[in-house]
Structures are given as C-alpha cells and as structure tokens.
C-alpha cells in the first residue's frame, strides 16, 4: 500500500472481526490483528529498516571453533540447542 491510498483503503474491521470470530479466534488475537490492519491503513509499511537492526553476532561463538563434544553421553540431559530463524 502506498501513502496515497492509505486513507482510501476501506475499513473492513467489522467483516474481519466477524470472520475471525466465526473461525473461533479469541478476542485478544482479533484486537491485535485489527491494530496491525489499522496501522497499514494509516500508511505504515510494516517493514523494519535494515539500518535500525542491531546484531550481537560478534558475541556468538562460531560453531567450527567450539571444542569437541565429550564422548560421555551423560551430558545430553544438560544440553540445550537453540535454532534461530535465519530469514530475518
């Protein structure tokens, strides 16, 4: 949506709410969704500029430089793996 048509985009909040209610969506989720729809109607783009994103990547250890895992399988119950979505 462009800035020019932001105010001409028709308000469909009632229709959206009705469909979401019919689908069993809870009210807090509906309100949150409609807030985002209203932001788009107001002209926001919904994008985060790359220049505003700070990354702590320097503090993350390179997996190739980690010491080898112990051969003792007893450490597995104390092991945590966090997999992040790299698409951001």
């Amino acid at each position: 949506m462009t800035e020019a048509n932001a105010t001409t985009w028709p308000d469909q909040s009632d229709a959206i709410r009705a469909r979401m209610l019919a689908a069993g969506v809870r009210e807090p989720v509906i309100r949150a969704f409609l807030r985002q729809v209203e932001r788009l109607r107001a002209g926001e783009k919904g994008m985060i500029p790359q220049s505003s994103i700070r990354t702590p990547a320097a503090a993350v250890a390179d997996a190739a430089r980690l010491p080898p895992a112990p051969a003792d399988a007893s450490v597995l119950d104390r092991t945590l793996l966090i997999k992040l979505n790299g698409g951001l």
Side-chain angles (χ1 to χ4, degrees):
M1 174 185 317
T2 64
E3 297 283 333
N5 70 0
T7 57
T8 61
W9 188 38
D11 182 8
Q12 296 292 319
S13 298
D14 292 338
I16 293 169
R17 178 182 299 281
R19 283 189 79 173
M20 292 178 85
L21 285 170
V25 179
R26 294 178 183 243
E27 189 61 35
V29 175
I30 295 171
R31 283 194 307 267
F33 182 80
L34 290 176
R35 271 194 306 273
Q36 298 309 314
V37 169
E38 188 53 39
R39 290 174 70 180
L40 288 172
R41 288 187 74 237
E44 288 189 35
K45 305 249 186 300
M47 301 294 291
I48 300 171
Q50 181 70 33
S51 61
S52 72
I53 300 173
R54 295 179 307 159
T55 177
V60 177
D62 183 351
R65 294 184 180 165
L66 294 175
D72 181 8
S74 68
V75 298
L76 292 177
D77 66 342
R78 296 175 290 166
T79 303
L80 172 70
L81 173 67
I82 300 174
K83 186 174 180 179
L84 302 175
N85 177 353
L88 298 177

